[in-house]
Amino acid sequence: MADDKKRDDFAIEMGDRSGDRFEAPKAPYRPAPQLPMASIGHNPIVPILAYCASSILMTVLNKYVLSGGSAFNLNFFLLCVQGVVCVTAIQTMKTLGVINYRDFNVDEARKWFPVSLLLVGMIYTGTKAIQYLSIPVYTIFKNLTIIITAYGEVLWFGGSVTRLTLFSFGLIVLSSVVAAWADIQHALQNYGHSNTEASAKISTLNAGYMWMLMNCFCTSSYVLGMRKRIKLTNFKDFDTMFYNNLLTIPILIVCSLVLENWSAENVAKNFPVETRNNIIFAMIVTGLGTIFISYASAWCVRATSAATYSMAGALNKIPIAVSGLIFFDAPVTVPSVSAIAIGSLSGIVYAIAKLKQSQQSKNVGLPTVAPLVSASSQSARDSMRS
């Protein structure tokens, strides 16, 4: 008994015998503790907040530079500074090994140059529109781009528009009409005692609406043109950012030197002594903000689903519009708030319509009837057959 007890006391687990060797027993699996910073990258709330914050920051700072106390008219110069800051920042990050993108290639630049021209038109008309309009009105009217882009896809890529999408388009148009009516009514109520001031205010609004309409067409042209060109170059996010900003810099420099007033008097008017440092700082931050908003968008796509990202983009218009009410003298009236609500609702309905359309396309099996196609797609197919 004593010997058995002794053997029990000194028993050692040798593991499994394999030939002439013993394999040591495997230690039980213990998951490594998750660091707080690692969990942040997988938390969907953080990228959504970053995406919203970057959008608000870019819109508010651009509005501050363009109409923050002085009649800023060096828009091409502002865009050039933003482009130089962006290219310098991403090139520095590439040198440090933080990001990676393609080196400059003349043939790729030649293919991408038309897209850069469209980008110049988009960002310039956007700066002019936000200069004349309030942030809520600018945000609401920006939704009109969705309609133009959707029908451009129908004509050029054979897309389709569902009934729910058409309903969202109706809400977009309604919100734009309500926003314009609210702006004009506010101008007449505040400046109605003076025909000269009222006419000047309405003329400013009309100029803003004209620039906004041009911006909607330029934005749709840029989006559709980039979709066509990106198939030729197979660019990734940072490739697109690098070529877009690099190719627009010489165009913006030429436009600024030729079309803008660089007299000492006008420069002093655009950069008054009391706010000069703040304006220059805001211009630099907006250049860095282009990187931040691009990364936040990609981060939001990676960390969330397509439904969440689409809904975040739709709901993002609410805080952007509210920021205009908080930081600037945008009128807070029942029609203006109603326009923001209708515009936000239209974005949500459009996001839901696109999600349902994408889900239906994934669930489609073998077709039993010929699918409906746009006229342009059908004519292209007929020409290929002949």
Side-chain angles (χ1 to χ4, degrees):
M1 280 297 289
D3 293 341
D4 294 338
K5 179 65 177 177
K6 198 172 186 178
R7 278 194 295 271
D8 291 341
D9 292 340
F10 291 94
I12 299 176
E13 185 179 356
M14 299 298 293
D16 298 331
R17 184 179 180 89
S18 176
D20 295 333
R21 297 180 180 178
F22 283 97
E23 293 183 359
K26 295 181 180 179
Y29 171 73
R30 293 179 182 177
Q34 193 173 20
L35 297 176
M37 291 301 295
S39 62
I40 290 176
H42 299 283
N43 188 347
I45 301 298
V46 178
I48 291 174
L49 292 177
Y51 173 61
C52 295
S54 60
S55 302
I56 295 173
L57 180 67
M58 286 290 294
T59 306
V60 170
L61 287 180
N62 276 325
K63 180 66 175 177
Y64 171 76
V65 173
L66 292 166
S67 58
S70 63
F72 194 90
N73 55 26
L74 299 177
N75 297 56
F76 283 118
F77 175 70
L78 167 64
L79 299 174
C80 182
V81 171
Q82 292 176 346
V84 170
V85 170
C86 180
V87 171
T88 303
I90 62 175
Q91 184 63 41
T92 302
M93 289 191 291
K94 180 182 179 180
T95 304
L96 297 174
V98 179
I99 62 174
N100 189 30
Y101 54 86
R102 304 181 190 184
D103 294 327
F104 181 79
N105 181 276
V106 176
D107 185 58
E108 290 179 339
R110 180 181 55 81
K111 292 178 181 178
W112 197 257
F113 187 74
V115 179
S116 297
L117 284 177
L118 294 174
L119 176 64
V120 170
M122 181 188 76
I123 56 181
Y124 179 76
T125 55
T127 59
K128 298 297 289 186
I130 200 172
Q131 188 170 3
Y132 291 114
L133 300 176
S134 64
I135 290 180
V137 175
Y138 172 82
T139 306
I140 292 169
F141 270 81
K142 194 71 175 176
N143 283 341
L144 292 173
T145 306
I146 297 175
I147 303 177
I148 302 172
T149 306
Y151 281 102
E153 288 181 342
V154 170
L155 293 174
W156 292 345
F157 299 103
S160 61
V161 177
T162 63
R163 292 182 179 179
L164 189 59
T165 306
L166 283 175
F167 177 66
S168 70
F169 291 169
L171 291 176
I172 290 172
V173 174
L174 177 62
S175 65
S176 302
V177 171
V178 173
W181 175 73
D183 256 7
I184 294 173
Q185 287 287 16
H186 182 264
L188 292 175
Q189 290 175 3
N190 284 6
Y191 305 99
H193 58 278
S194 173
N195 291 332
T196 304
E197 292 183 359
S199 299
K201 183 64 177 177
I202 292 177
S203 298
T204 301
L205 292 175
N206 289 335
Y209 299 146
M210 180 195 70
W211 283 112
M212 192 71 247
L213 184 62
M214 292 173 61
N215 177 253
C216 290
F217 280 102
C218 289
T219 303
S220 296
S221 301
Y222 168 71
V223 172
L224 295 171
M226 184 173 62
R227 181 176 172 184
K228 275 182 169 293
R229 286 287 173 176
I230 209 165
K231 295 179 180 179
L232 298 176
T233 57
N234 197 24
F235 277 176
K236 305 300 180 185
D237 289 340
F238 283 109
D239 298 325
T240 304
M241 187 187 303
F242 173 68
Y243 274 92
N244 269 342
N245 286 277
L246 185 65
L247 295 178
T248 55
I249 289 173
I251 303 172
L252 294 170
I253 291 176
V254 172
C255 291
S256 180
L257 294 176
V258 174
L259 301 176
E260 294 180 335
N261 183 7
W262 280 97
S263 65
E265 181 183 356
N266 190 59
V267 172
K269 179 183 177 182
N270 282 273
F271 297 95
V273 177
E274 58 274 10
T275 60
R276 181 176 300 166
N277 293 334
N278 292 337
I279 292 176
I280 293 174
F281 176 75
M283 293 169 69
I284 296 173
V285 172
T286 51
L288 296 174
T290 57
I291 306 172
F292 183 34
I293 194 171
S294 298
Y295 178 78
S297 301
W299 186 14
C300 195
V301 170
R302 289 196 309 268
T304 64
S305 63
T308 305
Y309 178 72
S310 300
M311 202 58 63
L315 294 174
N316 190 34
K317 294 177 176 59
I318 299 176
I320 293 177
V322 171
S323 68
L325 303 178
I326 296 174
F327 297 109
F328 299 95
D329 58 347
V332 183
T333 61
V334 174
S336 64
V337 175
S338 301
I340 294 173
I342 298 172
S344 303
L345 179 62
S346 67
I348 295 172
V349 173
Y350 178 76
I352 294 174
K354 295 302 290 183
L355 289 172
K356 286 187 175 181
Q357 193 172 358
S358 63
Q359 289 174 357
Q360 288 175 358
S361 62
K362 290 179 181 178
N363 295 331
V364 169
L366 293 175
T368 55
V369 295
L372 294 175
V373 296
S374 62
S376 59
S377 300
Q378 186 62 47
S379 61
R381 292 179 184 179
D382 293 340
S383 63
M384 289 178 68
R385 289 172 185 170
S386 60

